Amino acid sequence: MQFDYRNISVGGLTMRAALLDNGGKGTKTPPLLMLNGIGFNAELLEPMALELAKPGPDAPEGRAVVIPDMPGCGGSPDSNSHLLMCGLSTAVTDLMEALHPGKPFDCIGFSWGGALAQQIAVQASRKLTRLGLISTTSGLPVAPTNPEVIRRLFDPEEYVHPRRLADNFRALIAEGGAGAGLMRRFRSPSPQGLSNQLLALTGWSVAPMLPFVRVPVALVGVADDAIVPYAHHTMLGCLVPHAQKIEIRSGGHLSSLARPERVAPALRRFLAA
């Protein structure tokens, strides 16, 4: 299985997306939208996507997957304006409609992408069939177990020089538990792209609406996550009491990306339910 990368324009916004047909658009299995961490490119989610796309009980004919790069990340150009979470939610939902007209979709969001996935769940609930949230939060403030990590993420000086940005981002990825294989897939975001994602998260919270989410939800948390502490996983469990909880004991923030085999079987059982 190989991904096809295409640039797709929706609502005046151009996004590069990794597309995996795998089974054809005629399959009854809902397509899977996968949303990435802050500043991340689609290639980092490929290993997990391939685990979830294979034929199995949840997808007898295989599963179509869409992984968009946010503006300024991966191969997507910077946007001409700043987009809040609601605007990004609309753009991504329109992207799925353009690629899979009239079909509802499953969504799995990792870290920052989990925040966007929650926005989609409350903003376009009729489009969504299942929601998986990995190492994420329902909004700021985020209290990291390692304050130095969050200080670098929110320090504007880190984004002035692209090379400094790339070096610091690679350091953050390494601290998150990434191995060499994952690091080779990383493409540095643009300063504007990363800043826009941070601004979209600043002041945003979807927590008051989460108890009203009616689609099946799975929550994946990592006990030793230094970037999004396990406490946020516990809090999300309180806000979405009907959610299925999947716990990983160790491996860091990027455990699900670096070793997708640790979480993919549980996610596939969730998607099959």
Side-chain angles (χ1 to χ4, degrees):
M1 295 184 287
Q2 287 188 334
F3 282 87
D4 174 30
Y5 279 83
R6 291 166 46 191
N7 288 332
I8 303 167
S9 295
V10 287
L13 191 67
T14 298
M15 289 182 285
R16 184 188 74 148
L19 309 177
L20 188 65
D21 192 5
N22 196 34
K25 295 187 178 181
T27 179
K28 295 181 180 179
T29 303
L32 176 61
L33 169 66
M34 300 187 72
L35 299 172
N36 224 329
I38 191 166
F40 281 9
N41 50 290
E43 287 86 349
L44 292 171
L45 271 176
E46 277 192 14
M48 182 189 291
L50 291 173
E51 290 287 333
L52 299 176
K54 296 184 295 187
D58 61 311
E61 303 173 41
R63 180 183 293 274
V65 179
V66 179
I67 314 173
D69 282 336
M70 292 297 105
C73 300
S76 292
D78 286 321
S79 61
N80 293 325
S81 59
H82 171 61
L83 291 173
L84 300 176
M85 281 292 187
C86 57
L88 290 167
S89 170
T90 298
V92 171
T93 303
D94 289 348
L95 174 71
M96 291 300 291
E97 179 63 24
L99 293 170
H100 298 277
K103 293 194 71 172
F105 54 88
D106 296 333
C107 181
I108 291 178
F110 166 72
S111 193
W112 185 95
L116 180 56
Q118 291 170 70
Q119 182 68 37
I120 292 172
V122 302
Q123 188 173 324
S125 57
R126 294 183 180 180
K127 295 283 188 178
L128 206 59
T129 46
R130 293 175 184 84
L131 176 66
L133 303 174
I134 304 174
S135 300
T136 191
T137 174
S138 59
L140 293 179
V142 176
T145 53
N146 183 349
E148 176 62 17
V149 171
I150 213 73
R151 184 198 68 76
R152 277 183 283 167
L153 271 177
F154 282 87
D155 183 356
E157 292 186 4
E158 302 290 350
Y159 309 140
V160 174
H161 303 290
R163 183 168 181 175
R164 182 177 174 182
L165 169 64
D167 290 344
N168 281 310
F169 221 82
R170 287 189 176 90
L172 287 169
I173 292 175
E175 290 168 4
L182 206 60
M183 293 291 284
R184 283 194 294 269
R185 294 176 178 270
F186 174 65
R187 295 176 59 176
S188 180
S190 73
Q192 180 182 333
L194 186 57
S195 297
N196 282 347
Q197 283 188 278
L198 285 169
L199 286 170
L201 191 62
T202 302
W204 170 87
S205 177
V206 76
M209 299 299 297
L210 289 182
F212 301 100
V213 172
R214 292 293 176 258
V215 299
V217 180
L219 303 176
V220 181
V222 185
D224 64 353
D225 193 331
I227 296 176
V228 179
Y230 193 78
H232 289 272
H233 177 71
T234 304
M235 184 185 72
L236 282 171
C238 295
L239 293 171
V240 192
H242 62 277
Q244 174 183 333
K245 298 174 181 64
I246 302 169
E247 300 176 359
I248 302 175
R249 292 185 178 181
S250 63
H253 186 62
L254 297 180
S255 175
S256 299
L257 274 62
R259 297 186 59 188
E261 70 277 2
R262 298 181 67 186
V263 69
L267 284 174
R268 294 204 66 152
R269 288 192 293 270
F270 164 70
L271 293 171

